[in-house]
């Protein structure tokens, strides 16, 4: 059910990703629209708890509990299991089992490969509560390796220019670096200061990112022909003027919309997203074989229509405050 603090599991007595301070919160992942401050007890993967500590300072006024993927916990009358969601480091779906029925809360998820986190695991269930960030047929994300190939090709074409890529701080940044490494790119990658902390955190959990250097303080000449990562807000701003004739790129699911790329003056749009696109959302719903599907944040109308057309019950959850930190 949904109450003033968001999604609530009554027989378990806990909220999932609540937006106001809750007594007991299960957190799917560290993005700010899911991991908010002020809860009393917080249960999440160790990775998510570490992200929350880094970003919020302290987590859980009355304590935290780190849970491993696949570990079954009894909470109140229900059994809770966290299962990989393939979205970012530590991201989890929440499986709730109660009196023979299975509910899965997806959190944010994707089905495509990501070298920085374990892949999404499909869970058959009766009720599937799904995200819907890119829930329109127009959203079809690119293959991350091919998109990174475009970046490397542009770099070869313009060896005198820096390539500055807008990336979200948690997830996209590290995934882009890891995919560059998979493609054999071994040079130092330059980072805006705001990205450093999350990269270090990923490395603490064993994700290898290769040589990284701070962009600030590096001579302009040295960054000719190099790849520089920065938060999306920094690429159009004074910050990027220090770079030699930068090619501006942006790695986001939104880059599928050309008008949006043009409006933001993005020369090189890279359609890489950490969310499921339309095909992944509809395929996942079918594969869970859920009789009922609830849709959380995003553009739910088209998805609800699709759900009903496949003979399932659909419902839109009016959850507030789900903003796009992380597309
Ligand atoms: Zn997210
Ligand atoms: Zn989200």
């Amino acid at each position: 059910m949904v109450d003033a603090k968001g999604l609530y599991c009554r027989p378990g007595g806990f909220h999932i990703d609540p937006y106001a301070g809750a007594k007991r919160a299960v957190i799917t992942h560290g993005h700010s629209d899911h991991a908010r401050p002020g809860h009393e007890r917080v249960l999440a993967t160790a990775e998510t708890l570490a992200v929350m500590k880094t970003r919020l300072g302290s987590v859980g006024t009355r304590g935290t509990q780190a849970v491993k993927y696949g570990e079954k916990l009894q909470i109140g009358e229900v059994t809770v299991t966290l299962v990989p969601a393939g979205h970012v480091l530590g991201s989890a779906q929440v499986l709730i089992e109660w009196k023979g029925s299975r509910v899965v809360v997806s959190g944010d998820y994707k089905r495509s490969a990501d070298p920085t986190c374990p892949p999404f695991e499909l869970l058959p269930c009766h009720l599937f509560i799904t995200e819907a960030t890119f829930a329109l047929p127009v959203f079809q994300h690119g293959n991350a390796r091919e998109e990174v190939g475009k970046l490397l090709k542009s770099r070869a074409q313009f060896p005198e220019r820096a390539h500055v890529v807008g990336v979200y701080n948690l997830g996209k940044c590290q995934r882009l670096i890891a995919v560059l490494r998979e493609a054999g790119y071994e040079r130092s990658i330059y980072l805006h200061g705001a990205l450093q902390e999350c990269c270090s955190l990923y490395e603490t959990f064993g994700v290898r990112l290769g040589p990284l250097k701070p962009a600030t303080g590096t001579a302009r000449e040295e960054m000719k022909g190099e790849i520089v990562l920065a938060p999306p807000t920094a690429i159009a701003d004074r910050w990027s003027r220090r770079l030699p004739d930068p090619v501006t790129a942006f790695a986001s699911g939104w880059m599928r919309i050309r008008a949006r790329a043009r409006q933001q003056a993005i020369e090189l749009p890279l359609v890489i997203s950490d969310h499921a696109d339309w095909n992944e959302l509809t395929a996942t719903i079918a594969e869970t074989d859920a009789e009922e599907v609830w849709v959380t944040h995003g553009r739910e109308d088209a998805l609800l229509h699709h759900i009903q057309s496949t003979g399932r019950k659909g419902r839109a959850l009016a959850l507030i405050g789900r903003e796009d930190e992380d597309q």
Side-chain angles (χ1 to χ4, degrees):
M1 62 167 280
V2 177
D3 71 8
K5 292 174 183 172
L7 208 52
Y8 182 64
C9 171
R10 200 197 302 253
F14 58 87
H15 284 88
I16 298 170
D17 295 349
Y19 27 76
K23 274 195 166 7
R24 203 172 181 136
V26 175
I27 305 294
T28 60
H29 67 287
H31 280 137
S32 57
D33 55 330
H34 298 259
R36 293 171 189 269
H39 311 311
E40 290 182 19
R41 292 179 200 280
V42 177
L43 186 147
T45 60
E47 292 89 339
T48 296
L49 290 174
V51 170
M52 290 176 77
K53 274 194 193 108
T54 306
R55 301 184 130 194
L56 303 173
S58 69
V59 186
T61 53
R62 310 187 86 188
T64 59
Q65 187 176 357
V67 190
K68 289 200 177 72
Y69 289 129
E71 189 183 331
K72 285 190 179 295
L73 292 175
Q74 191 68 36
I75 306 180
E77 298 169 25
V78 304
T79 306
V80 172
T81 317
L82 301 187
V83 174
H87 176 57
V88 298
L89 182 76
S91 64
Q93 308 174 70
V94 185
L95 166 65
I96 302 165
E97 292 169 286
W98 183 58
K99 295 183 176 170
S101 71
R102 287 161 62 91
V103 177
V104 172
V105 181
S106 76
D108 292 342
Y109 71 96
K110 69 172 175 293
R111 306 292 298 269
S112 53
D114 181 340
T116 69
C117 61
F120 177 91
E121 239 171 71
L122 185 90
L123 298 167
C125 55
H126 301 95
L127 168 62
F128 185 50
I129 304 180
T130 183
E131 68 137 317
T133 307
F134 289 110
L136 286 175
V138 64
F139 289 113
Q140 313 228 354
H141 304 327
N143 172 309
R145 286 185 179 193
E146 285 171 21
E147 298 298 297
V148 159
K150 291 181 194 167
L151 174 62
L152 293 173
K153 195 172 149 204
S154 173
R155 182 182 166 267
Q157 212 175 343
F158 303 109
E160 294 293 302
R161 302 177 70 183
H163 281 70
V164 60
V165 189
V167 288
Y168 295 101
N169 182 8
L170 171 63
K172 191 66 59 64
C173 170
Q174 298 77 23
R175 183 183 182 200
L176 191 74
I177 295 170
V179 177
L180 276 163
R181 299 308 184 201
E182 280 186 342
Y185 187 77
E186 284 167 7
R187 302 180 64 78
S188 290
I189 294 172
Y190 292 79
L191 295 181
H192 182 286
L195 303 177
Q196 186 57 57
E197 204 165 41
C198 266
C199 287
S200 305
L201 194 75
Y202 268 65
E203 293 199 296
T204 312
F205 283 97
V207 179
R208 282 196 52 249
L209 300 176
L212 306 174
K213 276 190 181 174
T216 309
T218 301
R220 193 183 167 93
E221 274 300 296
E222 194 186 320
M223 285 191 283
K224 277 189 175 174
E226 302 293 356
I227 294 173
V228 184
L229 305 186
T233 47
I235 54 174
D237 140 317
R238 288 184 50 159
W239 184 84
S240 67
R241 286 192 219 148
R242 74 185 65 199
L243 305 172
D245 189 20
V247 173
T248 52
F250 187 13
S252 165
W254 294 110
M255 292 296 103
R256 177 60 69 203
I257 310 294
R258 289 222 176 89
R260 191 143 170 168
R262 260 200 310 273
Q263 187 193 352
Q264 296 177 12
I266 302 300
E267 257 180 272
L268 183 63
L270 303 172
V271 191
I272 303 177
S273 174
D274 285 334
H275 290 269
D277 67 7
W278 175 258
N279 292 334
E280 290 173 52
L281 289 169
T282 54
T284 305
I285 289 169
E287 287 169 34
T288 62
D289 209 21
E291 293 143 28
E292 189 164 347
V293 182
W294 294 358
V295 180
T296 61
H297 54 315
R299 288 131 207 95
E300 59 270 297
D301 292 354
L303 193 60
L304 275 179
H305 184 263
H306 169 86
I307 289 163
Q308 283 152 1
S309 76
T310 59
R312 298 179 165 84
K313 261 195 247 167
R315 178 180 160 196
L317 297 187
L319 296 184
I320 53 161
R322 288 281 195 262
E323 295 304 330
D324 49 352
E325 181 197 8
D326 55 319
Q327 285 85 9

